[in-house]
Amino acid sequence: MKKIGFLTSGGDCQGLNATMRGVAKHLFEHYGSDLKVYGFKDGYKGLINNEYDVLTSRDFSGILNLGGTILGTSRVPFKELKNEEGMPRVKKMKETYNLLGLDCLVVLGGNGTHKTANLLSEEGLNVVTLPKTIDNDIWGTDMTFGFHSALGVATDVIDRLHSTATSHSRIFIAEIMGHKAGWLTLYAGVAGGVEVILLPEIPYNIDKVVEVLEARRRAQKKFSILAVAEGAISQEEAKMSKKEFRQARENMKYSNISYRIADEIAARSDLEVRVTIPGHVQRGGEPSAYDRVLSTRLGAKAAELIINKKYGYMVALKDNKIVPVPLDEVAGKLKTVPLDSEVITAAREIGISFGD
Ligand code: F6P
């Protein structure tokens, strides 16, 4: 009997169910009734507390286009597991794995999740992972599942802002998720045809931003839209040490960077500014057709690795091929937008400002 455990960890996104379906369908095709699947509840917590449901092939039917995760998820911060106090939890995860006699643990998650998965792999567990996140910031894969779906939502938000911005001759800021990476903001900004894109990778100068907005007004353009990454930073902030930056942000009187930018624009001009923060809406709902295909490809490949007993890998999209990448190469690295990205170049060439 082949015994496989599944868990989804960290923030959810579109495509989690589609991906698990891809893994499970391939495994059931291969092993038939000789397969037992355990679905751990709420991420690593389920593995720590030995909480799971036994899943049959039926549980993976009808979930291709279902948002969220049928297993539930949670965040168990890696830094808490690495110290002495965290080790009992790692021990408990290993105990559950051994108690159930698992052959492999299938982990769907983002950066933090991959650090923990690598730790478990180093502790001797058989692990195969799949790259999930709307942020697209996992090293080793060209694209994560969830990104394309979230991009559709973020672009729709910007599209809808266009009509109301035009009617009122206003400046609109759309704050886009993405944590410390600007992928989602860059792509949504270009897809939505905005005038200004502010990314964590390109610190902005607020005076430059205002100059762009004023120039548009002088050119009789009635409105402007800015796509601002939730992790955007100013040029002054970029010069700070990590500690200084943390303190500055703790003392910031705004809940979100977009509100600060809105106030800064208003203080330097008589432009009327509004802020829209779609937030978790970007992660909700069904996966796009592209993500369903990507999820299925990644899932089927993960099952292939398991069948071939090739453990300690993340399945990734590289040059439009699905390939295994060693987990220890992925863990602890962040994939941010390279400054020489062709998308940035194209955006600049058509006159989009990055506020620098
Ligand atoms: O990593 C996905 C993400 O949606 C980020 O874009 C965002 O910064 C974060 O998760 C939000 O986390 P939470 O769901 O815990 O509020």
Side-chain angles (χ1 to χ4, degrees), residues 42-275:
D42 300 333
Y44 287 115
K45 269 190 194 166
L47 189 60
I48 293 167
N49 301 325
N50 194 13
E51 286 174 356
Y52 60 82
D53 285 321
V54 173
L55 305 172
T56 67
S57 60
R58 277 200 188 172
D59 292 305
F60 295 97
S61 285
I63 61 168
L64 176 60
N65 58 354
L66 189 67
T69 160
I70 56 169
L71 300 182
T73 186
S74 64
R75 293 190 193 276
V76 177
F78 176 72
K79 61 174 186 272
E80 285 176 22
L81 294 176
K82 237 182 83 185
N83 58 28
E84 283 289 300
E85 284 151 39
M87 283 320 269
R89 276 183 281 167
V90 174
K91 203 170 145 231
K92 281 175 107 181
M93 289 196 244
K94 287 168 71 177
E95 274 169 14
T96 303
Y97 180 98
N98 290 324
L99 185 76
L100 299 176
L102 294 183
D103 292 289
C104 182
L105 184 66
V106 177
V107 176
L108 292 80
N111 276 316
T113 301
H114 273 85
K115 281 200 219 168
T116 303
N118 185 47
L119 178 68
L120 294 177
S121 175
E122 285 172 354
E123 291 280 324
L125 272 53
N126 297 332
V127 183
V128 169
T129 70
L130 299 109
K132 157 245 75 159
T133 171
I134 64 167
D135 303 340
N136 194 33
D137 60 353
I138 301 182
W139 191 92
T141 186
D142 292 344
M143 202 183 284
T144 55
F145 65 86
F147 174 71
H148 187 274
S149 308
L151 174 59
V153 179
T155 304
D156 184 52
V157 166
I158 294 171
D159 283 349
R160 286 166 192 275
L161 289 178
H162 261 101
S163 58
T164 180
T166 319
S167 308
H168 289 269
S169 303
R170 279 174 174 161
I171 306 300
F172 264 92
I173 297 178
E175 184 172 299
I176 310 297
M177 273 188 169
H179 199 46
K180 291 180 182 163
W183 295 102
L184 198 52
T185 309
L186 174 64
Y187 277 68
V190 171
V194 302
E195 285 67 51
V196 178
I197 297 177
L198 303 184
L199 307 178
E201 292 86 350
I202 306 178
Y204 67 86
N205 174 339
I206 193 66
D207 294 318
K208 290 272 165 60
V209 173
V210 175
E211 257 174 55
V212 173
L213 304 178
E214 292 285 19
R216 266 180 66 84
R217 183 161 64 174
R218 281 196 302 277
Q220 312 298 318
K221 305 271 173 73
K222 288 178 72 186
F223 71 95
S224 291
I225 299 184
L226 295 81
V228 172
E230 62 176 354
I233 60 166
S234 69
Q235 291 182 350
E236 295 79 52
E237 286 173 320
K239 289 181 199 135
M240 293 176 183
S241 67
K242 268 190 181 170
K243 196 175 160 199
E244 286 168 341
F245 177 70
R246 211 175 28 247
Q247 269 167 6
R249 282 300 172 96
E250 272 166 20
N251 297 334
M252 183 171 91
K253 64 174 179 162
Y254 306 95
S255 58
N256 292 65
I257 188 67
S258 292
Y259 291 119
R260 186 180 85 186
I261 293 173
D263 267 8
E264 287 172 339
I265 296 170
R268 286 164 172 76
S269 68
D270 61 354
L271 295 162
E272 195 182 3
V273 192
R274 293 287 187 274
V275 173

